[in-house]
């Protein structure tokens, strides 16, 4: 039951992230990817930093900025570029290659065994999102696709490094450091490459507030908790819920058309997530049993 609870709690993060594309395209001004990333990261980071009242020490100054750059600066710039240039569900699904990247990086950086069942689950999830892409509304802008792939690689690297460095600080503190560092890195970029935002209306402000408080501060606490408790491979497979969420929201809110192939894709994604959790749970159960027998 504790692991099931950890899985469900971690799964909330990518399910909420799937709404990023809807909020970006419907509620936020168009053409400001770096500024939008800045206004999502820095306010949330400073708010959490005021709450935890703790700064990094020693090597963690550098590590906080590395993780902030990977998990937020680069990832969110790519995310917003993809959201502007691709349909919502498509932008989310192109980035679904991330679990396969994590499997490879976890092997190199953490020495984690690449289990055949986990590879099958990741490939199945990728096939599922390919079916989700099978829409008459699907469009492939090369820059948007490259941005989505770049974002996936960036966050995959940040996910593995978060586990490798294993910070001995509360999750709120770790999240505050990374969001603040990522936001500070975005600040000069936004000032240099983008014009000032236009006058904001109530919808714009609500969109920014949602992305900063719910889509950043809350979800990344849940996400980093999941990485620590489940491991990067198991947690990242839950990221397949993001494209499912994005496609479902496009269907329910925007009236985008779904057909039987896309429903089959969503089912395959969910089955792959279930299989991945079985694959990553088995080694942990075996290790616990072995330790219990030798105690």
């Amino acid at each position: 039951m504790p692991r099931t609870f950890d899985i469900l709690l971690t799964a909330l993060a990518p399910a909420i992230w799937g709404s990023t594309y809807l909020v970006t395209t419907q509620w936020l001004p168009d053409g400001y990817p770096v500024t939008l990333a800045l206004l999502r990261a820095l306010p949330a980071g400073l708010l959490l930093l005021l709450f935890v009242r703790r700064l990094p020490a020693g090597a963690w100054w550098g590590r906080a900025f590395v993780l902030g750059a990977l998990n937020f600066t680069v990832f969110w710039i790519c995310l917003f570029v993809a959201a502007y240039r691709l349909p919502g569900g498509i932008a989310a699904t192109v980035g679904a290659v991330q679990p396969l990247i994590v499997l490879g990086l976890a092997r190199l950086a953490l020495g984690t065994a690449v289990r055949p069942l986990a590879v099958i689950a990741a490939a199945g999830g990728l096939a599922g999102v390919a079916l989700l892409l099978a829409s008459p509304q699907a469009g492939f802008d090369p820059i948007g696709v490259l941005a989505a792939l770049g974002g996936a690689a960036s966050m995959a690297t940040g996910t593995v490094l978060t586990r490798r460095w294993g910070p001995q600080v509360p999750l709120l503190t770790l999240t505050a450091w990374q969001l603040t560092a990522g936001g500070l890195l975005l600040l000069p970029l936004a000032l240099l490459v983008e014009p000032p935002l236009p006058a904001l209306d109530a919808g714009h402000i609500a969109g920014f507030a949602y992305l900063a408080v719910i889509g950043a501060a809350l979800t990344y606490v849940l996400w980093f908790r999941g990485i620590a408790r489940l491991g990067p491979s198991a947690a990242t497979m839950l990221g397949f819920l993001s494209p499912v969420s994005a496609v479902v929201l496009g269907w329910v809110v925007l009236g985008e058309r779904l057909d039987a192939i896309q429903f089959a894709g969503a089912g395959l994604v969910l089955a792959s997530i279930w299989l991945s959790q079985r694959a990553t749970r088995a080694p942990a159960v075996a290790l616990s049993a072995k330790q219990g027998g030798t105690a």
Side-chain angles (χ1 to χ4, degrees):
M1 179 61 73
R3 182 177 173 84
T4 301
F5 178 76
D6 289 338
I7 291 171
L8 292 174
L9 206 57
T10 307
L12 280 176
I16 292 172
W17 291 337
S19 67
T20 298
Y21 307 97
L22 175 67
V23 173
T24 299
T25 56
Q26 300 300 309
W27 290 358
L28 299 181
D30 189 15
Y32 297 86
V34 181
T35 302
L36 296 187
L38 166 66
L39 293 177
R40 187 179 182 185
L42 193 56
L46 292 175
L47 182 65
L48 288 178
L49 203 57
L50 284 173
F51 181 78
V52 301
R53 296 181 181 276
R54 181 174 177 181
L55 294 174
W60 267 100
W61 277 105
R63 291 177 178 180
F65 276 90
V66 170
L67 293 177
L70 291 169
N71 287 326
F72 301 111
T73 307
V74 176
F75 174 61
W76 277 352
I77 289 175
C78 291
L79 180 81
F80 283 114
V81 169
Y84 282 134
R85 303 186 72 101
L86 297 171
I90 308 305
T93 52
V94 172
V97 71
Q98 183 182 329
L100 288 172
I101 299 174
V102 167
L103 285 175
L105 290 177
R107 173 60 180 167
L108 293 174
L110 305 176
T112 305
V114 178
R115 303 185 180 278
L117 196 59
V119 175
I120 292 171
L126 203 55
V129 299
L131 292 177
L132 283 170
L133 282 167
S135 165
Q137 299 172 334
F140 288 90
D141 176 273
I143 295 177
V145 171
L146 288 174
L149 291 174
S154 180
M155 189 173 181
T157 305
T159 296
V160 172
L161 285 179
T162 299
R163 179 60 179 258
R164 178 178 175 83
W165 286 335
Q168 301 300 309
V169 296
L171 288 168
L172 279 176
T173 302
L174 175 64
T175 307
W177 291 352
Q178 292 191 54
L179 279 167
T180 304
L184 290 174
L185 291 172
L186 285 162
L187 182 58
L189 288 175
L191 294 174
L192 286 172
V193 303
E194 290 181 353
L197 282 171
L200 301 180
D201 59 26
H204 294 146
I205 294 171
F208 283 127
Y210 172 82
L211 289 181
V213 178
I214 305 298
L218 172 62
T219 54
Y220 276 93
V221 170
L222 298 178
W223 185 247
F224 293 136
R225 178 185 183 277
I227 293 172
R229 300 211 175 196
L230 301 174
S233 298
T236 303
M237 280 296 298
L238 295 172
F240 280 132
L241 289 173
S242 180
V244 174
S245 171
V247 169
V248 169
L249 285 171
W251 174 46
V252 173
V253 179
L254 302 179
E256 294 177 352
R257 200 176 114 199
L258 292 182
D259 54 27
I261 293 178
Q262 289 177 288
F263 280 111
L268 183 55
V269 166
L270 296 177
S272 298
I273 291 172
W274 175 83
L275 184 63
S276 73
Q277 299 309 314
R278 296 275 297 179
T280 53
R281 181 178 180 273
V285 171
L287 180 60
S288 298
K290 181 178 179 180
Q291 289 174 339
T294 56

